[in-house]
Amino acid sequence: MTMSFYTIYAMWRDADLVGRMQSVTDSDVRRTLSKRTLTADDFLCLLSPAAEAHLEAMARKAHGLTMAQFGRTMVLYTPLYLSNYCTNGCVYCSFNHKNRIDRRQLSLDEVEDEARAISASGLKHILILTGDAPSIASVDYIADCCRVLDRYFTAIGIEIYALTEDEYRRLIAAGADSLTLYQETYNERLYAELHPKGPKRDYGFRLDAPERACRAAMRAVNVGALLGLDDWHRDAFFTGLHAHYLQDRYPETEISASLPRIRPHVGGFQPGCVVEDRHLVQIMTAMRLFMPRLGIAISTRESAGFRDRLLPLGVTRMSAGSCTAVGGHIDEDNGTGQFEISDERTVPEMVAMLQQAGWQPVYKDWQSLGRLVS
Amino acid sequence: MHTNNSSDTLTIGGRSFDSRLLIGTGKYPSDEMIPDIITASGSQIITVALRRVDFRATTDNVMHHIPDSMQLLPNTSGARNADEAVRIARLARATGCGNWIKIEVIPDNLHLLPDGHQTLLATETLVKDGFVVLPYINADPVVARQLEDAGAAAVMPLGAPIGTNQGLTTREMLHIIIDTINVPVVVDAGIGKPSQACDAMEMGADACLVNTAIASAGDPVAMAGAFAAAIRAGREACLSGTGSVGIQATASSPLTGFLYE
Amino acid sequence: MEIRLNGKPERLTGAITVGDLIREKGLDPETVVVEHNLAIITTVDFDQVWLEDNDNLEILKFVGGG
């Protein structure tokens, strides 16, 4: 594979992105807002400080595009942490191997118990997560978990350490059909500082993983950066470019982006910048205008009130009933979560909120032929 | 639309051109006016067709009226499938006129619409055979992408069926093609008026091919000049970035007002 | 002998080359391209190719087109 998103990243990395954004004028923003199809330069324009004054106009256009492409629907899913063993030293994460927390990995029976509890809520989409410990939470273990979950859910997403194309194929064969993988930060230099130890140090291997998943015929791929590690303007821009690159090269794959903002966690890491609420709105609406067909996910990192306000602005998937500790859907005492959850609403509470707001909660968006559960 | 050279030349198959108007040589009242058409149009790329010699008129030859400096673009008109197109392309190249070919596979005599599938097959074969391939297609973004992936040097989507002068009836699809295809997009067929060519260029097309509208005009030479001006105007408008359509100003901000409460 | 020339039967009085036939028809060899039994023959070979009974010959040239 000769082409990689890195080629595009490198082209823009050396451009003075922040400087370019500073020089965007009000009339540049107006012109961009009346365009039909946006280029990368237009996307940059909408992320710039000058665009902050046009949030309402961006929001209206984003709302219109989201209604046209997705309607008033919201896909619901819940994350299930299978294992928090980790060999990485990511300075911003609770699961950092140096942090003294209880380490656990669910047995297949425990996975099944969790599955039973979660699917009782009606949810059909699950997202499974692990730390980066391939000798413990191995690809075989994850595949076994997929096979168990396959009996309870119609769509299984994986958010795990970066794999090879063959490994993705194995998990797809075991029932996985979507991949979530955050580059954390696209800033190569900062990435090296934030990941001092462990396999995750390999920036390029991680960067190319979503593309490997596309080539392995993963049905859906979700990218993102942890906003706040670097200047959010840069990481939001590269997230959009990365999604655009994948959508262009793999039109048969459903591409989406997440916009996680860094949250309180174990360990003393201080974020590089603060991402205010209005910045998140600007990022989301700019992304919607840049890529009308992009799925956009907002997790329970965000508060209930804020998530509710984001509904009309372009979100297409939301998690509910979340717990970021291992297991956690049965047992009250769950151990340490990967990050603090802000929106603690249960699935029924989320459903009620959505229906009240005029949205249709979607429990099942996808089912591959041949799945056992209906 | 992708412009990355400061002098805004059109580059196809490794050759650069100043003119973004391609012309044909069909349907003229007389081939003798072709040199004047070329001068008035400023065109540098010209299409011809390959036909069996008419033994009753053996001295006629359109090539006498085409200067050597023109880039010749023979078409495969007459081909009803990929094999015939490939055969015609190889014959055209054997004349020694160059290796450019416009693939026209038109099995439909009623509407003269091209067969995208056969066009793709012919393109794959001819690209491998070293031709600079410009396929003529319906304005189908999926087919355009397949042709780009197969190595076509440009794509030529129609604005409307050949000879109808209806203008850009395929406008929405042309937008998508212009936005998603990286090789030059040459709008070919159906352009009936200079304003339509100007419109195509404003939308971001890289060039237009005009034959019928010039050949059937009352004064073809003057019309060729009009098309050249229209295409230059449309191109300059596209490059200078059209102004914003007014954004409604409202006092309230229902969607984002909460951010400032 | 009889050949097919541009899709029609053509009687030939004796053994001739492609080049002979082209000149006989009043054509300039530089302006035509020839397909002999589906194989392309270029100008340099016109005088080397002898026509035989039942040969299929296509003689083509450029004409106006869009």
Side-chain angles (χ1 to χ4, degrees), chain B:
Chain B
M1 175 196 71
H2 297 258
T3 52
N4 47 22
N5 48 54
S6 53
S7 54
D8 192 41
T9 51
L10 171 69
T11 302
I12 300 180
R15 254 196 89 175
S16 289
F17 304 90
D18 295 314
S19 168
R20 292 175 180 271
L21 171 57
L22 286 67
I23 56 174
T25 50
K27 303 177 193 163
Y28 285 101
S30 128
D31 285 355
E32 256 123 43
M33 63 171 51
I34 289 175
D36 289 338
I37 302 278
I38 290 174
T39 306
S41 66
S43 184
Q44 297 166 296
I45 303 171
I46 192 163
T47 62
V48 291
L50 198 66
R51 289 287 182 278
R52 286 169 166 166
V53 160
D54 179 356
F55 294 113
R56 293 160 306 177
T58 53
T59 50
D60 293 351
N61 195 333
V62 74
M63 298 304 291
H64 291 151
H65 308 288
I66 301 177
D68 288 340
S69 55
M70 293 294 281
Q71 171 65 55
L72 207 66
L73 180 58
N75 67 33
T76 65
S77 65
R80 291 157 305 172
N81 58 48
D83 285 340
E84 288 179 1
V86 168
R87 190 171 154 204
I88 296 172
R90 289 179 174 147
L91 283 163
R93 184 166 62 177
T95 64
C97 69
N99 63 349
W100 281 42
I101 190 75
K102 173 183 168 187
I103 302 185
E104 259 182 52
V105 180
I106 297 177
D108 148 42
N109 266 316
L110 185 54
H111 300 293
L112 302 176
L113 291 171
D115 182 327
H117 178 58
Q118 293 295 313
T119 299
L120 178 60
L121 293 175
T123 298
E124 285 167 348
T125 303
L126 292 171
V127 164
K128 287 192 190 117
D129 204 5
F131 283 82
V132 172
V133 179
L134 287 75
Y136 167 65
I137 51 167
N138 209 327
D140 182 333
V142 173
V143 170
R145 182 61 181 265
Q146 290 167 335
L147 288 162
E148 179 181 56
D149 289 343
V155 293
M156 304 183 80
L158 60 90
I162 291 171
T164 58
N165 286 354
Q166 285 170 357
L168 307 179
T169 63
T170 59
R171 159 184 302 279
E172 291 307 314
M173 294 297 119
L174 289 175
H175 266 300
I176 296 174
I177 292 172
I178 288 165
D179 287 340
T180 57
I181 296 297
N182 296 317
V183 295
V185 177
V186 181
V187 178
D188 177 19
I191 295 178
K193 296 187 279 196
S195 55
Q196 291 160 354
C198 184
D199 192 5
M201 298 307 290
E202 270 174 10
M203 275 167 53
D206 294 282
C208 293
L209 197 159
V210 182
N211 190 169
T212 304
I214 293 175
S216 59
D219 182 346
V221 174
M223 186 58 82
F227 268 101
I231 285 175
R232 270 196 309 276
R235 178 64 180 175
E236 281 177 35
C238 180
L239 291 179
S240 55
T242 41
S244 62
V245 176
I247 298 170
Q248 275 180 328
T250 52
S252 70
S253 298
L255 291 174
T256 58
F258 74 94
L259 292 167
Y260 307 102
E261 277 154 20

Side-chain angles (χ1 to χ4, degrees), chain A residues 225-242:
Chain A
L226 190 51
L227 300 168
L229 292 176
D230 188 20
D231 179 344
W232 66 260
H233 296 87
R234 277 197 287 263
D235 273 331
F237 180 65
F238 284 117
T239 300
L241 285 194
H242 198 181

Side-chain angles (χ1 to χ4, degrees), chain A residues 54-349:
Chain A
H54 295 271
L55 275 193
E56 183 64 22
M58 286 170 66
R60 288 202 196 169
K61 198 169 174 195
H63 176 72
L65 285 171
T66 310
M67 290 301 105
Q69 298 288 347
F70 295 93
R72 299 180 81 90
T73 62
M74 191 65 61
V75 172
L76 292 177
Y77 68 95
T78 208
L80 172 63
Y81 282 74
L82 302 175
S83 167
N84 64 0
Y85 287 95
C86 199
T87 58
N88 286 320
C90 312
V91 303
Y92 51 81
C93 178
S94 298
F95 289 177
N96 182 328
H97 82 105
K98 284 204 300 239
N99 289 339
R100 291 177 183 283
I101 57 173
D102 284 339
R103 302 285 173 171
R104 261 192 82 203
Q105 174 156 308
L106 299 179
S107 67
L108 294 182
D109 281 342
E110 287 171 320
V111 170
E112 183 144 18
D113 290 339
E114 296 282 335
R116 210 174 287 117
I118 295 168
S119 68
S121 69
L123 287 179
K124 296 291 189 189
H125 306 117
I126 191 142
L127 176 68
I128 54 178
L129 300 96
T130 66
D132 193 342
S135 59
I136 309 172
S138 63
V139 175
D140 281 335
Y141 164 74
I142 297 168
D144 286 340
C145 292
C146 285
R147 277 183 276 268
V148 168
L149 294 166
D150 203 31
R151 300 201 294 274
Y152 293 86
F153 301 97
T154 61
I156 300 172
I158 55 174
E159 186 176 335
I160 61 176
Y161 47 97
L163 300 181
T164 65
E165 191 175 320
D166 272 339
E167 287 169 331
Y168 285 129
R169 281 186 206 281
R170 277 167 54 197
L171 292 184
I172 291 168
D177 70 346
S178 79
L179 171 79
T180 292
L181 189 69
Y182 303 149
Q183 189 61 21
E184 314 299 358
T185 178
Y186 286 90
N187 182 328
E188 215 175 345
R189 186 197 40 77
L190 179 64
Y191 185 94
E193 288 172 24
L194 297 176
H195 304 97
K197 182 200 176 325
K200 197 165 164 179
R201 255 193 86 69
D202 190 340
Y203 174 92
F205 187 73
R206 192 175 184 85
L207 190 72
D208 287 337
E211 179 153 21
R212 287 195 295 276
C214 289
R215 292 165 69 86
M218 192 72 78
R219 182 185 61 81
V221 169
N222 183 33
V223 296
L226 190 51
L227 300 168
L229 292 176
D230 188 20
D231 179 344
W232 66 260
H233 296 87
R234 277 197 287 263
D235 273 331
F237 180 65
F238 284 117
T239 300
L241 285 194
H242 198 181
H244 191 272
Y245 167 84
L246 293 170
Q247 187 175 81
D248 189 57
R249 282 171 70 78
Y250 303 95
E252 68 278 15
T253 308
E254 191 184 295
I255 304 296
S256 57
S258 290
L259 305 175
R261 280 196 285 187
I262 194 159
R263 289 280 303 154
H265 54 268
V266 171
F269 173 74
Q270 289 309 310
C273 79
V274 179
V275 186
E276 304 286 1
D277 286 359
R278 68 181 187 281
H279 298 148
L280 198 65
V281 168
Q282 185 177 358
I283 294 168
M284 182 182 300
T285 53
M287 266 194 199
R288 171 59 65 230
L289 299 187
F290 181 44
M291 297 179 67
R293 287 267 346 129
L294 178 74
I296 297 179
I298 296 289
S299 75
T300 51
R301 278 182 173 85
E302 302 300 335
S303 71
F306 188 52
R307 290 221 293 173
D308 293 355
R309 294 292 199 165
L310 291 179
L311 279 190
L313 301 181
V315 194
T316 61
R317 358 179 14 99
M318 288 174 124
S319 51
S322 298
C323 173
T324 64
V326 173
H329 293 86
I330 309 168
D331 204 347
E332 284 286 308
D333 177 19
N334 309 312
T336 311
Q338 191 184 27
F339 57 82
E340 260 180 47
I341 287 180
S342 192
D343 184 350
E344 296 184 325
R345 286 179 289 188
T346 61
V347 174
E349 285 168 332

